[in-house]
Amino acid sequence: MDRFYRLEVTPPEARVSRKSAEIQVSVKVDNSTKVLKPFQSEADDALKPNNAQQEGNGAHSGMEAPIGIKPNYHNGHRISGKKYGNISEDIQARPSASIMLESANYVRRKTAKRSVGASYSENVDRSISGEAQSKDRFVETVQGVSSARAEYRRAGEEARGSNPRQSEPHLDTSTFALSGDSAHNQAMVHWSGHNSSVILILTKLNDFNLGAVTESSLWRSTDYGSTYTKLNDKVGSRTVLMYLYVCPTNKRKIMMLSDPEVESAVLISSDEGASFEKHPINFNILSLLFHPAQEDWILAYSHDSKLYSSMDFGRKWQLVHDNVMPGRFYWYDYVDPIFELVHDPLLSEGSHDLLAPRCTEGNRQYLFPGHVDTNSLVVQDEYVFTQVTKSGRASYFVSYMRESFKRMKLPKYCLPKDMHIISTDEKQVFAAVQEWNQNNTYSLYISDSPGVYFILSLENLRTNRGPAGNLLVDFYKVEGINGMYLANKLVDYHIKTFITYNKGQTWALLPAPSTDVAGNNLDCILPFCSLHLHLEMSENPYTSGPITSKKSVPGIIVATGNIGTELSSTNLGMFITSDAGNSWRQIFDEEHNIWFLDNGGALLAVLHAATPIRHLWISLDEGKKWDRHSFSLAPLYVDGVLMEPESDNHIITFFGHFSHRSEWQLIKIDYKGLFNRRCMDGDYQTWYLHNKGELCVMGEKQIYMKRRPGNRCMLAQDYSRIYSSEPCLCTAYDFECDYGWERQADGKCSPAFWFNPNGAAKSCSSSQSFLNSTGYRKVLSNNCKEAGRNVYSPRREPCRPRAPRGLRLSTSQGELSAAVGSNVTFTVYLDDGDSLRTSIQLDFGDGIKITYSNLSRTDDGIKHIYRTTGIYRVTASAENSQGSDSSTLFLHITSPVERVYLSAPIVAIRGKEANLTAVVWPSHPRTLTFFWWFDNSSEPIITLEGSISYTFQKEGKNKVTVQVASGSTVMQDSKVITVKEFFRSLLLSFSPALDEHNPDIPEWREDIGRVVSFLEPVSGVPVDQLLVSLYPGLPTTAELFILPDEHTSSEHNRRSEEALERISDIFVTALNQGLVQFELKPDIRIIVYMTQQTLAPLVDSNSIHSGSAMLMLLSVVFVGVAAFFIYKFKRKIPWIHVQTEDSHEKEPEVISTVGQNDSMSKVKLSEFPSQKELMEKELEARTRGIYNLPIIMFYAVSKAAVVEVLGAFVKVKVEISLVINSLLQVKAIQDLTQVKRV
């Protein structure tokens, strides 16, 4: 055994530059550890197993943390976060126990800032760098270059250390090679736990060309790693093992997964791997989540997005739910899981994708104003976070202690673009928020205990994006000192490191050391020059990272950094503080990995180098002196270091290779020989925690104990680090400014310009007094005492009568539309006023009102159901003895559009208006939007009514499409309209048998319209000159259109008109003689008749007129005389009564598209349509197909008769004109005197 001397090190003068290094080390940690690694792809990284502890909710086992969750190394000295959608969170983890290593020459640390982006930690078989991995196990790193002087001195020290005396401190080392596994390029190492001597190692050959594991070996040691036994025979010689999992609450329980391509099974051990039992499974496990308290309860996520649960440590599994988002499942209340479902874009607005315990459609509550954003669910400690984006703006929600969700409130004009949860320590939320005017930086916000009200702590935090686009924030929590944090901030385009001792109330630059490592004076004066530290997190938890602190060693921080005006990546050195950041010393001018040994009583340093090494450095006096020790006879390419920091043993294990192709080497180092006894009371000394001389830190004076420098005694694990603690009197900086208040230059808090401090008396709704904020709220975990009158704490004040002000009315989900028959919940808010004595009235707008005696009775919302569609004016009124206030919203009640039918003529006249009507089922008065598309128009005509008049200017076929929008539903119908200069048409009727087979649907009418094919043999007219249109309804009627030959030129129109007359006469004859028939079914023949010859734009100049015209005329005369007689003698007819009063029954208050106050216009004789207008109206009436509607029968008959008579008899008798005029006068007089509503 070699002997070693202790020496005081003067590091070399030359400095080394830090360059980027590619790392191929895949890391697996035990269930109390979270490891962050970058993405490769969403499909790969999001679905790999992880073995990370979910603090307070369970442990994700395997090689990755849940998506969006970043590690928070409380014992591993790091804070990072988890992000969901745009929210991130941090997770507690310990850098101990198991590790997954990818063999390499030497694993140089690749660092990353505290990551809070939305990502998973990667898999055990995935390299930290995310680059393609080489099976040659080669890692490109940068070797630290030392000066010649330093090399010479170290050579001398090595010579002196070759013959040590036995009384000198020494290390006991032993090496074990995993024989036969030289080709294996990955290893997963697990130390079984507290004071256990068992170590398990799973080595694998991962063929990166095939993308699969082809070989595996399982090794087990029972003597702290001195020797190992191969267990392949116990698990099955042909079984290929993929992953190793450890129960976080009972590390004796081990679970391993086999390769599903060979055999899908789990192997379970309850005795630290001494024996295994195999259980087949029918799904492929991608990640596990252990229960935080029940050691046998596990959640498993499968490759097909299904979530399974086991209550017997994997022996039996049952399906919990399918379509679960990867990584978005948690133990919700220590009994049931909560998880996020894959978002279905077809889900209606207002539905959600979260399922909580015992949640069914019957009892599910929709708590948010819209869909929960994808990948936004996060459960951490006592908090549940989620995010909802609506109208382009994100809202963030939190549930504290599993209570109802509340909206997280930031200062009014923060207007966050992005939010990440950094930490939830000490029942408080730290959040990095990107405000509306920030691009590359974020601001640090701190919440109250429930996580609802946030205040600003530090602006312009340094951030970057990781390889997967995840956010990296420079923010670090110092372990062991309450309220102490470090952060890198952008100041005038320079990155500087700041420290706080009071949880972010005040921040200050770090003082630089007075001398460098060689003893040279440094003229670095604040604020122009200071110490700047790298606060990144190591992506390999088995390298220490650039900054380290430990709860068991309060006040000691070791970090990588530089001295100057800003943070740099060059001229880096190692710095240490022993008094909680008040003063710093430089200990190395090269980068080292540094760990705490002996419960924090010693420091271990290993040089970063690309070449193999065989020395390590140990200090027992807080880095003032370092002893160099050799841990291997041959230089070793170090892949990682494993230790159990909470154990009473003094064992370190180095993993690596002597060469690129050599077998795995495991070097066990027992450093117990550095100590000669256990520490006694006289071996300790005390020190005062202070902030630049101020002894009151976080409201108390604290005195800590630590081992006297130079004493070589072992620290007891449970010795008290705090010697005494005494509370201090409170000052303004023991309080943070309350929500809505801002710290001024004089240190006082005053209201922000947007905040009304007198409007926060919400508790008056349930009591006679309330706590009124003074503008301050006590920093959580601060232990100061207020003497005498409480200057800063909230004061209880009586509720004084105040007029209601700031009344707000909204729906619970913020929507201004709802489906008919649905339960709409209204919420009423009052910004200011005596809510206990203020009555609230809510008018739903449909004739129903409800009144509450005070505002507190509306806390759960006011529910109402609307039975009919329409736009309703909903009004809330608040009134008390001091005054009143009101608020109004307009609510659209709609029902789904089931069918749309475009009613339009199939033939229209060029240059004449044609009427188009969209018929909607069911009817939606004033709640629909109609989009009319004509031909190839680029823009539609938009109307709120379902009818439109349009003039076609082009002859030929014109396509018309109407789209009807109801909420998010859009339906449409189209018609092709033939436009001509003139045409003829005939009304057709059919045998009664056709009505019995008429389903009254458009498709049936189109098929029957092919009766044209039966007319052609009768007339000899080409099919393209005939069109038949069937009208909706019964009895079945149709119209035959006879079109001019499209090849006829315009100068031959007269002859074409004559030809149409001849064709019309032929059809009239054929139809009257029953010659037009068709077969509907084998035993049913339908005869087509002519109902009458209809008026077409081509004026009929024939002197021979049909008898129907005369009949029409007689009808007009009779009806006119009858109307005149009734009007003249109505008061003498006993059975005729005139209604003179309106009904006073209140109608539902549906908002009309025409103003409610518009009076009904009265009809005047001078405004009655002329004869020419009557002709044009006849065309409209005919195209609408309303010939047999009884309400307008009088108008249809009279106008048709008038037009028929005027067109047929040019020289009509004066008596006929008198009759018509009399008829019109009678109608006008009735409108003027009697009729209020037509």
Side-chain angles (χ1 to χ4, degrees), residues 1061-1074:
E1061 288 292 337
R1062 292 193 297 270
I1063 296 172
S1064 177
D1065 292 339
I1066 294 173
F1067 275 118
V1068 169
T1069 303
L1071 292 169
N1072 287 336
Q1073 295 177 2

Side-chain angles (χ1 to χ4, degrees), residues 190-206:
H190 164 66
W191 198 324
S192 187
H194 181 68
N195 289 335
S196 174
S197 62
V198 175
I199 299 177
L200 292 174
I201 301 178
L202 174 63
T203 64
K204 301 183 294 184
L205 173 58
N206 194 345

Side-chain angles (χ1 to χ4, degrees), residues 671-695:
Y671 61 90
K672 191 174 182 178
L674 298 175
F675 309 102
N676 50 29
R677 58 184 174 82
R678 288 195 173 273
C679 292
M680 309 296 290
D681 290 342
D683 294 317
Y684 297 99
Q685 67 180 30
T686 60
W687 66 278
Y688 287 84
L689 175 64
H690 66 95
N691 175 12
K692 298 179 179 61
E694 172 58 49
L695 295 180

